[in-house]
Amino acid sequence: YTCALAVGHDHGNGYCCQHVDSEVHVCFGRHSGYGGYSHKNWSRGARVYELKFSVGGGDLKGGGSGIGDGNILEWSSWVRLEDGSIADRYSR
């Protein structure tokens, strides 16, 4: 079961969105380091993911994901900027 695809890149933007033809969500991380592309107005930050599993009728301990057996996966993501602030909150 694939619900999200996370990709990092070296530019000044970061975002998440749902793919137009599927249930898959695509998240891009922003410029996080001091190398590569840079611009004085780009805020550095790292994309953070929080995953929450709720056990329903299935068993998450059975070796598989358990998703689809009444279990629920909820997730959210945000960018923690270098100054400590949070940007680009996204949840599913």
Side-chain angles (χ1 to χ4, degrees):
Y1 177 78
T2 302
C3 67
L5 173 66
V7 179
H9 65 115
D10 202 15
H11 299 284
N13 60 346
Y15 59 89
C16 292
C17 63
Q18 184 171 352
H19 186 273
V20 68
D21 293 328
S22 71
E23 294 289 322
V24 175
H25 298 257
V26 180
C27 295
F28 292 90
R30 68 172 56 218
H31 186 75
S32 59
Y34 288 90
Y37 299 106
S38 186
H39 188 279
K40 65 181 180 177
N41 294 328
W42 288 357
S43 301
R44 291 178 187 85
R47 180 160 292 284
V48 178
Y49 295 90
E50 180 178 57
L51 307 175
K52 294 182 181 179
F53 295 97
S54 300
V55 178
D59 181 10
L60 290 176
K61 299 176 186 173
S65 69
I67 305 301
D69 296 327
N71 298 316
I72 299 170
L73 167 64
E74 295 178 42
W75 63 273
S76 59
S77 180
W78 58 89
V79 174
R80 174 70 70 173
L81 298 174
E82 187 174 31
D83 67 4
S85 63
I86 292 176
D88 191 35
R89 285 190 183 273
Y90 188 82
S91 61
R92 176 184 183 273

